Amino acid sequence: MQQERKAGLLLHPTSLPGPNGIGELGWHAHRTLEWIAGAGFRVWQVLPLGPTGYGDSPYACFSAFAGNPYLIDMGELADRGLLSEEDFYTLRNLPHDHVDFGGLIPEKKRLLKKAYKTWDDRATKLERAEFFEFQGHHAPWLNDYSLFMTIKDTQDGRVWNQWPAKLRDRDPEALKAVRADQQDTIQQIEWEQFIFFHQWNALRAHAKELGVQFMGDAPIFVAYDSADVWSNPDLFKLDAKGNPIVIAGVPPDYFSATGQRWGNPIYNWAKHLETGFLWWTERIKYALETVDLLRIDHFRGFVACWEIPAEHETAELGEWVPAPGKELFSAVRDKLGKLPLIAEDLGVITKEVTALRKHFDMPGMCILQFAWGGTRDNVFLPHNHEYDRVVYTGTHDNNTTLGWWRQEINDEIRGDLSAYQQHGVDRPHEDLWRMALQSVAQYAIAPMQDLVGLDQFHRMNTPGNPHGNWSWRVGDEHLNDGLKNWQREIIWRFGRLGD
């Protein structure tokens, strides 16, 4: 039987073009989707879609379940009469080539508040019924999320362990009082989620019509300052006041000489075992209602994770602590059926990690930027690829391939890549993309920056750097017919068109 082969594009919605200071889920998203499908891509990979917190990172969200309200398309709200064109003046004056989160967020909040009030005044019975149905379906996470965000707002944005003790510890009477006093704010937050998922589901339905699957992203760990940790403190290794005892990260590696101290709390796996991994089952269930494929970030953490004492300032001093990955995925599979998951198996990978991935039929990842300058058995070299892999030129954490070629590697590595191809390298982003498409791996994916050929000034994220990340945006000029037609031709040539 012929094996399925697909090509994919990595492009987060915040990076989409558009006039309102950030990529949104409206007309420009649908137009980009049509370009993606026309270019022959059958997978659109996005980063986590949650509401971002400190540092604007999609890997540090206020909820592992909620959507990012800053992605809501303002144009649709105007078309529905909830906003006017004059409301957009400040947004339209924001930069178009990157996201200025500091300027964007207060304006988006102001406009969403105005749109909600108008909707609340005018909503028909049918519109309210649809909203109530949404609230009911998502109640297992939505109730805690809206309450968390409301309290956070009344506490001037402070981290939840700095709230008054009764709110920090979820005293029932204190929470009841907040619900009574802040009913309108809670309702607005839930309405924003209703609008986000309405717009996202419309985009996903359009993608299905065009034969494009969405690949989402689920970080193994959640942010400490999140509704998830606040509402489920017993599922994490916290002290009596809610402070983390240990935090997550990775030891020194390619990205950092002192390791990466992520700061996420570590799971109390014993409690998860007691509950039959209910929280994880719900998380994956809701995620798979939103996307078709789901990449599990830092998959090796399900075998053992690097635990760092919370008081340590770097990730150098930590230890690998076992995790019950097999029990977890068995429980989730028993309840949800076959799991369309992708394992991000980068870093210190042991035979146990590979065995867990293969046991649950999860493709792993190969990064071509990591393939050169070593031994011939490097698993990232194209001749060592296997079908159950997703091959990338680079990821959101890497430099762009052109930036990598110019900035990060030496002549030995450049020579190794040139010798492998038996020709000189002038356009490394194109060479690596062709290698990815030629690979036997099931999926070949490239960041948009590599398809266009952008340099280091256009990378999405620099791990370990707390500022200046996540803001890159693609230009309208990049989504042109020339690039689209070229991509379709080479995707077809290497058997990944799927037609």
Side-chain angles (χ1 to χ4, degrees), residues 261-283:
R261 184 185 184 277
W262 295 335
N264 309 79
I266 300 286
Y267 294 106
N268 178 359
W269 288 120
K271 191 66 177 180
H272 285 271
L273 278 162
E274 282 181 26
T275 66
F277 298 99
L278 177 61
W279 183 87
W280 271 102
T281 302
E282 290 293 296
R283 182 183 180 189

Side-chain angles (χ1 to χ4, degrees), residues 58-335:
Y59 292 89
C61 293
F62 291 128
S63 169
F65 295 79
N68 187 348
Y70 305 134
L71 293 173
I72 291 174
D73 177 43
M74 297 288 101
E76 180 188 327
L77 300 186
D79 291 342
R80 294 172 60 176
L82 304 181
L83 296 171
S84 66
E85 285 296 320
E86 290 75 17
D87 291 323
F88 293 88
Y89 178 79
T90 305
L91 286 182
R92 297 286 165 84
N93 283 322
L94 290 172
H96 289 187
D97 61 344
H98 70 280
V99 183
D100 174 10
F101 288 101
L104 173 89
I105 290 173
E107 284 304 305
K108 274 273 187 167
K109 285 183 174 180
R110 179 182 66 83
L111 292 177
L112 288 170
K113 183 175 183 178
K114 180 176 181 179
Y116 165 71
K117 289 188 176 298
T118 305
W119 179 88
D120 194 38
D121 290 339
R122 301 179 184 175
T124 65
K125 288 185 178 180
L126 177 59
E127 289 172 331
R128 291 192 186 278
E130 291 173 344
F131 179 37
F132 295 154
E133 182 181 1
F134 172 85
Q135 289 174 303
H137 178 73
H138 294 276
W141 63 265
L142 185 62
N143 291 342
D144 283 323
Y145 169 71
S146 58
L147 187 59
F148 173 84
M149 295 302 292
T150 298
I151 297 173
K152 192 171 185 64
D153 186 56
T154 66
Q155 297 298 313
D156 298 321
R158 289 197 293 271
V159 179
W160 66 267
N161 67 336
Q162 299 174 16
W163 296 351
K166 288 188 175 182
L167 295 177
R168 179 196 69 196
D169 298 336
R170 295 178 58 84
D171 176 77
E173 290 302 315
L175 299 187
K176 183 179 179 180
V178 173
R179 291 191 183 279
D181 294 342
Q182 302 291 331
Q183 183 177 4
D184 197 52
T185 299
I186 291 171
Q187 187 91 333
Q188 179 190 328
I189 292 168
E190 296 185 355
W191 177 84
E192 290 173 359
Q193 292 302 302
F194 171 62
I195 296 298
F196 171 89
F197 283 104
H198 165 76
Q199 293 186 353
W200 176 260
N201 289 338
L203 185 64
R204 190 179 176 203
H206 191 186
K208 187 175 182 179
E209 292 173 358
L210 296 173
V212 175
Q213 294 180 302
F214 272 108
M215 183 190 295
D217 195 322
I220 179 176
F221 300 114
V222 298
Y224 172 71
D225 191 21
S226 67
D228 310 291
V229 181
W230 173 69
S231 60
N232 302 283
D234 56 332
L235 297 181
F236 301 87
K237 294 183 178 180
L238 310 177
D239 66 19
K241 293 185 178 181
N243 302 305
I245 299 169
V246 288
I247 57 175
V250 290
D253 61 7
Y254 168 86
F255 291 111
S256 174
T258 59
Q260 296 180 47
R261 184 185 184 277
W262 295 335
N264 309 79
I266 300 286
Y267 294 106
N268 178 359
W269 288 120
K271 191 66 177 180
H272 285 271
L273 278 162
E274 282 181 26
T275 66
F277 298 99
L278 177 61
W279 183 87
W280 271 102
T281 302
E282 290 293 296
R283 182 183 180 189
I284 292 176
K285 180 188 79 170
Y286 280 110
L288 292 176
E289 291 179 3
T290 305
V291 296
D292 306 288
L293 306 165
L294 187 63
R295 172 187 178 270
I296 304 294
D297 192 49
H298 195 59
F299 179 77
R300 72 102 52 243
F302 291 106
V303 172
C305 54
W306 187 250
E307 293 194 2
I308 308 161
E311 66 272 13
H312 287 194
E313 295 183 358
T314 74
E316 294 167 282
L317 298 178
E319 62 177 336
W320 291 107
V321 177
K326 188 172 183 180
E327 293 87 344
L328 186 158
F329 288 111
S330 294
V332 175
R333 185 177 61 183
D334 289 346
K335 294 169 185 172

